Amino acid sequence: ERYADPPKLTFNTMDPGTVNTKMLDAGWGMCGMPVSRANDTFHLLTDENLADTSGKYFVNLSPRSPMKEVMDPECRAKL
């Protein structure tokens, strides 16, 4: 019964961007976006249009191609 109706899981990755934090300020200065605008993670987790999307890489909420090494089975096997 416990697994009678398991939830559907999807897996995506994203570039979170550069967000102004205390650590960024201490090292490089405030050169990113305000924390109040850093909402890509929330959007990717809650957008119903992405409920069936899995295995994608997002930059600024747009699907992008990852680095070529990511798609290389030999590189992945070394991990």
Side-chain angles (χ1 to χ4, degrees):
E1 287 183 38
R2 180 175 173 189
Y3 298 107
D5 191 18
K8 179 178 179 182
L9 299 177
T10 60
F11 298 88
N12 294 296
T13 59
M14 61 169 270
D15 178 342
T18 303
V19 179
N20 289 332
T21 62
K22 290 178 187 177
M23 185 168 59
L24 183 71
D25 188 27
W28 297 275
M30 294 297 207
C31 57
M33 72 180 93
V35 172
S36 62
R37 287 191 25 228
N39 58 10
D40 287 9
T41 302
F42 178 78
H43 178 80
L44 291 172
L45 288 170
T46 60
D47 186 345
E48 292 184 15
N49 293 320
L50 297 173
D52 294 322
T53 301
S54 191
K56 300 294 181 188
Y57 171 63
F58 290 85
V59 177
N60 295 325
L61 301 177
S62 297
R64 300 282 174 87
S65 296
M67 294 172 44
K68 64 181 180 180
E69 292 83 2
V70 172
M71 303 308 291
D72 183 337
E74 289 182 24
C75 287
R76 291 194 317 251
K78 290 178 184 178
L79 295 175

